[in-house]
Amino acid sequence: MSFSKEEIRIALEKVIHPEHGKNIVELGYLEGLKVEENDVFITIHLPKINDPFKTSIEKAAIKTIQTLVSDKLNIVVKFRTPVKKESKVTNTDKLSGINKIIAVYSGKGGVGKSTIAVNLAVALALKGYKVGLLDADVYGPSIPKMTALENARPNAIQEGTKNIIVPIEKFGLKILSIGFFVNPTDPVVWRGPMATSVIKQLTTEAEWGELDYLVIDFPPGTSDVHLTLVQTLKISGAVIVSTPQNVALSDALKGINMFRNKDINVPILGLVENMAWFTPENHPDEKYYIFGKEGCKKLASSENLDFLGQVPLVQGLQESSDSGEPIAINEKSLLGKVFSELSEKIVHKLSEK
Ligand code: ADP
């Protein structure tokens, strides 16, 4: 038995937006509708940021379709809410279509910064946003591996005297990595002028187009590359990633102070605690606090910063990074939900400003 888009659309005419008293189709809010066998994918555009009726509209849409069309249908409703327009991020042409730039940062390497960056970007894209992901980690670019793009080489288009780099599209993201320009087995020894000029090219001479969010995987620590990034781009906010143990936290604090420095002055959106506890896959209810409990939460509270969430240490996350398929793609999995909630919090934090 197959179902037509028309049947679904007619059912959606029964879903009323409580504030306007009109149905969502009439209001022009039905932006996308796809039917694949028993799966129905609906995208609803709500003009208001944080529309209070979002959940009730979602529930009503599912219930109405199941009642009027078929209760065998799996229905996925996504919302696209506009991102509040900021003044343009810089006056450089190639960046003018980017609305918000999110820096994902850690004080030290190996705490899962790139893992959080790629999964956050995927979770935002799954919510219907236009998302770019820039891997600016000159010390160890890992996004090509985490997205199975190790051999990808982006195209360049000639514009006047400049070569404009075209990001690679995968998982609904536009991706560029400093790793696309080096041999994966070569150590990246870019420092100083070389690193900063490559970073400038990947930002100001790349075809990013229109983006709601550009997520940047920052290098860890503090360096001249950080300075270039904050001077070239207007960063909307930084997400600080740390693990709960003291060695990581003290480096995270250095990073917090760097973003707060008056010459850098990047708003900090909050902290994410990665590897917050270990959970064995076959015993999902068990939690082992192998790196200590809630270290990041305590740091957030002592620094008067928001605590954005906790990501557990699970084998599946490491495996998905290694196989090049970000775990957030599976929205219904434990970690899919974690990243979905994290992305929602970040969208919300950015819309507050
Ligand atoms: P960083 O960018 O901070 O250097 P990565 O994101 O590259 O760190 O992560 C380092 C390693 O740890 C990777 O192999 C990654 O798959 C793994 N990893 C990160 N976070 C988790 C987690 N929550 N659970 C399991 N493995 C993780």
Side-chain angles (χ1 to χ4, degrees), residues 179-255:
F180 291 157
F181 304 93
V182 288
N183 185 334
T185 52
D186 286 345
V188 183
V189 284
W190 291 347
R191 293 284 186 275
M194 182 62 193
T196 51
S197 85
V198 174
I199 291 289
K200 276 201 181 134
Q201 198 178 355
L202 293 187
T203 49
T204 59
E205 292 175 24
E207 197 57 60
W208 290 108
E210 294 284 321
L211 291 181
D212 294 315
Y213 299 102
L214 174 64
V215 176
I216 304 186
D217 186 3
F218 258 54
T222 50
S223 71
D224 45 357
V225 177
H226 295 83
L227 270 180
T228 305
L229 281 163
V230 297
Q231 283 163 357
T232 315
L233 306 165
K234 185 169 179 291
I235 311 275
S236 316
V239 172
I240 316 279
V241 180
S242 183
T243 48
Q245 68 271 55
N246 285 335
V247 276
L249 293 169
S250 65
D251 283 351
L253 183 58
K254 284 184 204 151

Side-chain angles (χ1 to χ4, degrees), residues 242-246 249 273-278 287-300 307 310:
S242 183
T243 48
Q245 68 271 55
N246 285 335
L249 293 169
E273 184 170 81
N274 189 29
M275 311 194 195
W277 60 79
F278 167 69
K287 291 182 178 178
Y288 298 94
Y289 294 91
I290 47 182
F291 297 137
K293 199 172 174 187
E294 297 185 340
C296 271
K297 198 172 184 178
K298 289 172 198 151
L299 178 64
F307 186 55
Q310 292 169 301

Side-chain angles (χ1 to χ4, degrees), residues 46-71:
L46 292 177
K48 201 181 196 174
I49 293 173
N50 300 326
D51 190 312
F53 298 107
K54 203 162 132 178
T55 316
S56 53
I57 290 172
E58 178 177 3
K59 283 189 185 145
I62 293 173
K63 189 137 203 285
T64 312
I65 295 169
Q66 285 176 337
T67 314
L68 296 182
V69 185
S70 162
D71 59 4

Side-chain angles (χ1 to χ4, degrees), residues 120-131:
L120 168 65
V122 166
L124 286 168
L126 285 171
K127 292 202 156 38
Y129 294 111
K130 297 194 190 93
V131 185

Side-chain angles (χ1 to χ4, degrees), residues 109-115 142 146 274-275 312-314 317-318 321:
V111 299
K113 168 184 57 65
S114 305
T115 308
S142 42
M146 291 180 176
N274 189 29
M275 311 194 195
L313 178 74
V314 285
L317 187 46
Q318 181 266 318
S321 294

